[in-house]
Amino acid sequence: HAKDLILPQNWDHETYTAHQNPSLILVFISNLQKEIEKQTGYRSSRKRRSTAQYNYEVYHSLEEIQSWMFEMNRTHPKLVDVFSVGKSYEGRPLHVLQLGKRSHPQKKAVWIDCGVHAREWIGPAFCQWFVKEAINSYQYDSAMRRLLNHLNFYIMPVFNVDGYHFSWTKDRFWRKTRSKNHKFHCRGVDANRNWKVKWCEEGASSHPCDDTYCGPFPESEPEVKAVAKFLRKRKKRVKAYISIHAYAQMLLYPYSYKYATIPNFNCVESAAHNAVTALYSAYGERYRYGPASTTLYVSSGSSIDWAYRNGIQYAFAFELRDTGHFGFLLPESLINPTCTETMKAVKAIASSLLNKCETDREGFPYI
């Protein structure tokens, strides 16, 4: 009986899939198709011309998100700039928002990306929520004003634009990019196994048909290469890297590829503790936190390990709600609470950058 089956506490969907017994079937959602249609239906009513009417409590298609980015730039030119860091495999622009008060050009910066894995729709929803909240609260929230005055936020609402578009039009549960493989009919690479750090070792697959396929070589995916190039150029100013994923309710930091303690563990652990405490204060949601390898699973070629190796001392990956009931099909009714609590956590991490934490800087890069 499904109700009698208990998965180990630290397993998420990916872990379960990797260890699954084909004879076991767990039924969490009785009508899966209906849940999918709820999130992709009624598109015409959601197309808005002004950001004042933009609905942040529904999931948006790639086209809507890109239009929203330009509209935010048009309506808030003093705080928002939009630019492209390159093009995807299928030729789509890779848009990034710069959020922050225009002041001196050498401001410290925080990078936030969402939608690395196509099916994790709550990610892009959060990136949009973050921008909206930051702008709306700038005038009355002294903490947010301090952040935007002293930091630049580079926000990429949809990292894997091709995969995200495909998850809206063809396969709701698609994860990878959409690059073609010449030897196999399978398409795509796991964009979080394609970074140039311990590439294609434990926790990544060398087979193109697998969900965790590392790609033919590091940075083979134009999306990964473009972001890596952008961050490398600015690594002296980018002090934090944050990647938003789902699901498992965790806050992870390096290392992903090995069981070892990072040299600036105390500072990073403290920031993580403050973040999950702030998150918990909203609705009482509990997040586990710790090194990715021990808290979730070992993986190589991950973006947080790459960011850390390149001198970005605070590198985090969030796994947002939930813990497996809805999984990737998190209902739109949960966008608001999920984004509200995550906002508190990200603000806590950004605030920790403005407060000095003593750490040994001699050894960078550490990996």
Side-chain angles (χ1 to χ4, degrees):
H1 297 287
K3 63 181 174 62
D4 296 328
L5 293 170
I6 301 174
L7 296 182
Q9 191 178 5
N10 66 336
W11 282 25
D12 72 340
H13 176 86
E14 293 171 355
T15 319
Y16 175 69
T17 303
H19 295 79
Q20 67 185 1
N21 177 338
S23 65
L24 284 178
I25 298 174
L26 295 177
V27 179
F28 287 130
I29 302 172
S30 57
N31 191 333
L32 194 63
Q33 186 62 31
K34 187 177 178 183
E35 285 300 320
I36 293 172
E37 287 169 0
K38 272 187 197 175
Q39 296 176 7
T40 54
Y42 313 112
R43 304 308 311 152
S44 59
S45 64
R46 292 185 190 173
K47 289 182 178 174
R48 307 295 189 191
R49 292 188 178 180
S50 77
T51 51
Q53 293 177 305
Y54 195 84
N55 189 350
Y56 291 89
E57 297 188 30
V58 298
Y59 295 117
H60 288 278
S61 67
L62 180 65
E63 294 77 13
E64 289 172 339
I65 294 171
Q66 289 178 335
S67 297
W68 166 86
M69 293 175 80
F70 284 98
E71 187 66 11
M72 295 304 281
N73 177 216
R74 188 185 71 79
T75 53
H76 302 91
K78 291 182 179 178
L79 286 175
V80 179
D81 191 20
V82 63
F83 57 92
S84 170
V85 294
K87 287 194 172 179
S88 70
Y89 179 84
E90 294 180 340
R92 294 181 176 87
L94 303 172
H95 286 127
V96 174
L97 286 176
Q98 180 179 311
L99 179 63
K101 189 181 179 186
R102 303 274 201 279
S103 53
H104 56 92
Q106 298 302 314
K107 282 170 74 177
K108 291 180 181 178
V110 176
W111 172 276
I112 304 175
D113 61 46
C114 299
V116 168
H117 294 140
R119 60 197 178 191
E120 298 165 13
W121 287 9
I122 189 61
F126 172 73
C127 265
Q128 294 176 89
W129 188 279
F130 182 89
V131 173
K132 177 260 297 185
E133 280 296 302
I135 290 171
N136 290 353
S137 64
Y138 179 75
Q139 296 300 334
Y140 66 83
D141 180 351
S142 59
M144 181 55 76
R145 188 160 57 249
R146 181 171 177 245
L147 290 177
L148 294 187
N149 286 350
H150 291 90
L151 297 169
N152 276 332
F153 290 86
Y154 295 117
I155 297 169
M156 191 176 197
V158 188
F159 183 110
N160 178 8
V161 288
D162 297 346
Y164 186 71
H165 178 74
F166 190 76
S167 76
W168 271 83
T169 55
K170 295 287 193 296
D171 179 356
R172 175 62 184 84
F173 295 101
W174 186 256
R175 169 184 168 94
K176 299 187 286 182
T177 62
R178 293 293 298 160
S179 54
K180 287 182 180 174
N181 185 286
H182 297 299
K183 292 182 181 177
F184 293 83
H185 290 298
C186 304
R187 289 181 70 151
V189 166
D190 184 341
N192 202 32
R193 302 291 187 278
N194 191 235
W195 297 76
K196 200 171 184 177
V197 53
K198 302 295 175 181
W199 176 78
C200 217
E201 296 185 13
E202 188 178 353
S205 171
S206 58
H207 196 289
C209 294
D210 289 344
D211 258 1
T212 56
Y213 175 47
C214 60
F217 53 87
E219 294 182 22
S220 63
E221 304 313 282
E223 300 86 354
V224 173
K225 188 173 184 176
V227 172
K229 182 181 177 182
F230 177 85
L231 291 173
R232 267 194 294 263
K233 278 186 178 178
R234 294 159 182 82
K235 64 182 178 182
K236 287 184 179 177
R237 285 191 283 125
V238 177
K239 301 301 179 184
Y241 172 92
I242 299 172
S243 193
I244 306 293
H245 294 259
Y247 55 91
Q249 296 186 191
M250 294 177 181
L251 177 54
L252 311 169
Y253 51 80
Y255 297 108
S256 297
Y257 80 94
K258 67 177 179 179
Y259 302 114
T261 303
I262 52 176
N264 64 334
F265 171 81
N266 289 342
C267 293
V268 173
E269 172 82 357
S270 175
H273 172 77
N274 292 341
V276 298
T277 301
L279 187 148
Y280 178 81
S281 73
Y283 302 104
E285 287 297 319
R286 297 187 182 278
Y287 270 52
R288 297 174 62 206
Y289 65 99
S293 56
T294 54
T295 311
L296 185 54
Y297 46 57
V298 171
S299 66
S300 55
S302 74
S303 64
I304 59 171
D305 280 351
W306 180 91
Y308 194 72
R309 188 192 70 176
N310 279 270
I312 301 175
Q313 295 192 37
Y314 291 85
F316 292 103
F318 278 87
E319 294 283 351
L320 302 187
R321 294 195 196 186
D322 55 11
T323 54
H325 181 83
F326 290 107
F328 302 118
L329 291 178
L330 194 72
E332 291 178 328
S333 60
L334 294 179
I335 292 176
N336 186 321
T338 302
C339 291
T340 297
E341 66 194 10
T342 309
M343 186 80 193
K344 287 178 174 289
V346 172
K347 280 176 71 177
I349 291 171
S351 296
S352 69
L353 299 181
L354 301 180
N355 304 323
K356 287 273 189 291
C357 182
E358 293 305 317
T359 184
D360 173 23
R361 299 174 66 90
E362 296 299 311
F364 267 97
Y366 289 131
I367 294 178

